[in-house]
C-alpha cells in the first residue's frame, strides 16, 4: 500500500516537472520574441460577416437540441405509465426522461450563450453597423426566439417530470429556488443523496480545472495578441467565489 502511494506521488511530481518545463520553454520563446505574429494577422474565421460561422454553429447546435427535445417529449408521452412498474432499477421511461432533462438543460444554456453573444455583438462598440445591420438584427431576433423556445421546452420537460414522479413534484410556481431544492432533497433516499453529493463534487472539481485552464489560456492570449485583463479577472473572481461557497458550506457543518 505504501509502495503504491509512493509511486503515485512520484508520478505526480514528474508530471508537475514535465508541465513546468513545457511552460518554461513556451515562456522563454514568447518573451524572447522567437515566436511572433504579424501585426496585421487576423485570426477571425468567417465567410461573409464577422463571426458568422460562430453564430451559425451555435444556431445548428440549438436547432439539433431543440428537435431532440421535442422528439423526446413526444416519445415520452407515447409511453404507457405501466413502464414505471417494471422490476428494474431504472425503467425505459425514466431513462428517456433523464435524457430529455439533460438535452433541455444543454439547449437552454447554449441558446443563452447565443443570445448574450448576439446582444454583445450588436451593441458592441466599433462595429460597422451600417453595413451589417440586417445581419445583426436577424441574428439577435433568431437568438431571442430560440431562447424563448428553449425556456418553453424546459418548462414542458419539468411538467413531464412531475407526471412521471408525482411524489416528487417540482412546484414550478415557487419563487424561491431554495424551497424547490429543499423539497427535492427531502424526497430523496440516502442512496440518491449520495449520488447527488458525488456528482456535485465531481462537477466542482471539473469546474475548478476548467477555470484554471481558462485563466492560463487568456494569459497566453494576452502575451501573444495583447494584454486582455477582463476575462482573467472574471475567471479569477469566479474561481474565488466558488471556493468561498464551498468552504462556507463545509464550515457550516463543523460549527
Amino acid at each position: 500500500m505504501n509502495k503504491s502511494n509512493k509511486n503515485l506521488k512520484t508520478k505526480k511530481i514528474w508530471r508537475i516537472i514535465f508541465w513546468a518545463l513545457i511552460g518554461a520553454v513556451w515562456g522563454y520563446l514568447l518573451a524572447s520574441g522567437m515566436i511572433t505574429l504579424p501585426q496585421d494577422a487576423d485570426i477571425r474565421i468567417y465567410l461573409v460577416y464577422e463571426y458568422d460561422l460562430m453564430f451559425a454553429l451555435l444556431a445548428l447546435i440549438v436547432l439539433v437540441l431543440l428537435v431532440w427535445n421535442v422528439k423526446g417529449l413526444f416519445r415520452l408521452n407515447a409511453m404507457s405509465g405501466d413502464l414505471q412498474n417494471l422490476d428494474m432499477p431504472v425503467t425505459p421511461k425514466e431513462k428517456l426522461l433523464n435524457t430529455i432533462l439533460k438535452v433541455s438543460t444543454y439547449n437552454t444554456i447554449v441558446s443563452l450563450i447565443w443570445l448574450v453573444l448576439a446582444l454583445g455583438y450588436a451593441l458592441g462598440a466599433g462595429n460597422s453597423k451600417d453595413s451589417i445591420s440586417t445581419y445583426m438584427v436577424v441574428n439577435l431576433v433568431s437568438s431571442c426566439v430560440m431562447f424563448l423556445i428553449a425556456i418553453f421546452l424546459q418548462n414542458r420537460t419539468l411538467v413531464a417530470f412531475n407526471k412521471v414522479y408525482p411524489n416528487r413534484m417540482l412546484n414550478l410556481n415557487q419563487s424561491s429556488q431554495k424551497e424547490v431544492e429543499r423539497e427535492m432533497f427531502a424526497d430523496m433516499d440516502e442512496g440518491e443523496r449520495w449520488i447527488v453529493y458525488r456528482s456535485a463534487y465531481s462537477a466542482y472539481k471539473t469546474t475548478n480545472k476548467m477555470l484554471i485552464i481558462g485563466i492560463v489560456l487568456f494569459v497566453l492570449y494576452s502575451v501573444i495578441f495583447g494584454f486582455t485583463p477582463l476575462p482573467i479577472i472574471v475567471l479569477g473572481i469566479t474561481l474565488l467565489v466558488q471556493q468561498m461557497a464551498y468552504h462556507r458550506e463545509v464550515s457550516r457543518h463543523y460549527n
Side-chain angles (χ1 to χ4, degrees), residues 85-101:
N85 299 323
L86 293 176
D87 189 15
M88 298 179 178
V90 181
T91 65
K93 192 168 188 177
E94 290 173 329
K95 288 182 180 179
L96 178 59
L97 178 60
N98 181 53
T99 301
I100 298 172
L101 284 170

Side-chain angles (χ1 to χ4, degrees), residues 6-194:
K6 288 182 180 179
N7 291 332
L8 288 175
K9 290 181 179 179
T10 303
K11 289 181 180 179
K12 288 182 179 179
I13 292 173
W14 279 110
R15 190 179 303 170
I16 293 173
I17 294 174
F18 174 74
W19 287 111
L21 288 174
I22 292 179
V25 171
W26 270 101
Y28 173 77
L29 293 176
L30 294 173
S32 63
M34 293 183 180
I35 298 179
T36 58
L37 291 176
Q39 294 183 353
D40 58 347
D42 189 359
I43 62 173
R44 294 171 298 179
I45 301 175
Y46 57 90
L47 293 177
V48 179
Y49 302 107
E50 288 184 336
Y51 306 109
D52 55 358
L53 289 178
M54 178 187 72
F55 287 121
L57 178 61
L58 289 172
L60 178 62
I61 294 174
V62 170
L63 184 61
V64 170
L65 293 175
L66 186 149
V67 173
W68 193 352
N69 197 350
V70 172
K71 185 177 179 181
L73 287 174
F74 276 112
R75 287 181 56 198
L76 188 69
N77 292 331
M79 287 184 173
S80 62
D82 295 333
L83 291 175
Q84 299 179 68
N85 299 323
L86 293 176
D87 189 15
M88 298 179 178
V90 181
T91 65
K93 192 168 188 177
E94 290 173 329
K95 288 182 180 179
L96 178 59
L97 178 60
N98 181 53
T99 301
I100 298 172
L101 284 170
K102 291 188 292 186
V103 170
S104 177
T105 302
Y106 301 156
N107 190 23
T108 303
I109 294 173
V110 178
S111 60
L112 178 61
I113 294 173
W114 180 15
L115 175 60
V116 296
L117 286 175
L119 184 63
Y121 179 63
L123 301 179
N127 291 330
S128 54
K129 297 181 175 60
D130 294 335
S131 59
I132 58 175
S133 58
T134 304
Y135 160 65
M136 287 192 298
V137 169
V138 171
N139 184 39
L140 185 58
V141 172
S142 301
S143 62
C144 289
V145 172
M146 288 298 185
F147 179 70
L148 293 176
I149 295 175
I151 293 295
F152 173 77
L153 289 177
Q154 188 175 54
N155 182 274
R156 300 310 304 169
T157 303
L158 293 178
V159 171
F161 176 89
N162 289 340
K163 290 181 179 179
V164 176
Y165 298 104
N167 297 327
R168 300 181 181 179
M169 292 184 63
L170 297 176
N171 189 352
L172 304 179
N173 296 323
Q174 284 183 347
S175 58
S176 175
Q177 183 66 24
K178 291 184 178 180
E179 294 180 9
V180 176
E181 293 173 356
R182 289 194 192 100
E183 288 186 2
M184 288 187 63
F185 274 86
D187 293 333
M188 290 181 181
D189 56 33
E190 291 298 324
E192 291 172 325
R193 292 181 184 180
W194 174 247

Side-chain angles (χ1 to χ4, degrees), residues 208-222 231-237 239:
N208 275 348
K209 293 178 182 178
M210 294 304 298
L211 288 172
I212 294 173
I213 291 173
I215 291 173
V216 173
L217 290 177
F218 276 112
V219 169
L220 293 177
Y221 181 90
S222 298
I232 300 173
I233 294 173
V234 172
L235 292 179
I237 292 175
L239 180 61

